[in-house]
Amino acid sequence: MPNKPASLERNIQIKQKEQFGYSSKEISRYMRFLKAIKIIEKETENNKKVEWFSIISECNYYDQSQLIHDFKHYLQISPSQYLKFQEDICNPRS
C-alpha cells in the first residue's frame, strides 16, 4: 500500500513545477542566492570586506562549497570572480 501523504506531496510538487516551471526547492535556492548577492553588494558599496562565512550562515548555506556551486550555477563564475567583476564595473580605471 503506497504512502498516501508522500504521494500527495509529490503530486503537488509535480503540479507546481508544471504550472510555474520551477519547484519550490529551486525557487528557495534562487531566493537564497539573491539574498547572498544583496549582502555582497551592500558590503562592497560600503567598502567593507566581504565576510563569506557570515554570508554562508545568514543565507543558510551548508558550507562555502555550496555557495560557490550556486555562483557557478547562476552566473558561471566564482564568488571571487564576481567581486572582481563588480569592482571593475563600479570603479573603472581610465
Side-chain angles (χ1 to χ4, degrees), residues 1-91:
M1 184 172 182
N3 185 348
K4 289 192 185 232
S7 63
L8 177 61
E9 181 179 338
R10 183 67 185 134
N11 285 338
I12 291 170
Q13 291 171 348
I14 291 168
K15 290 293 183 192
Q16 178 182 1
K17 187 159 185 160
E18 286 174 3
Q19 292 293 317
F20 301 111
Y22 300 99
S23 69
S24 59
K25 184 177 179 179
E26 291 167 324
I27 293 168
S28 177
R29 178 184 180 193
Y30 183 67
M31 297 305 290
R32 177 180 63 190
F33 179 71
L34 285 181
K35 182 177 180 179
I37 291 293
K38 288 178 183 179
I39 294 169
I40 292 167
E41 287 178 355
K42 186 176 180 182
E43 289 183 1
T44 56
E45 283 174 8
N46 295 325
N47 293 320
K48 292 183 180 177
K49 183 178 183 260
V50 175
E51 298 294 336
W52 293 109
F53 291 107
S54 67
I55 292 169
I56 290 164
S57 176
E58 191 172 334
C59 298
N60 297 317
Y61 280 98
Y62 180 73
D63 59 12
Q64 188 174 3
S65 65
Q66 192 180 31
L67 175 65
I68 292 167
H69 183 75
D70 276 0
F71 263 90
K72 291 184 178 181
H73 177 77
Y74 291 112
L75 301 177
Q76 288 75 48
I77 58 176
S78 70
S80 59
Q81 289 170 320
Y82 176 77
L83 285 180
K84 176 78 171 106
F85 178 72
Q86 288 296 97
E87 180 182 306
D88 291 347
I89 288 174
C90 296
N91 299 317

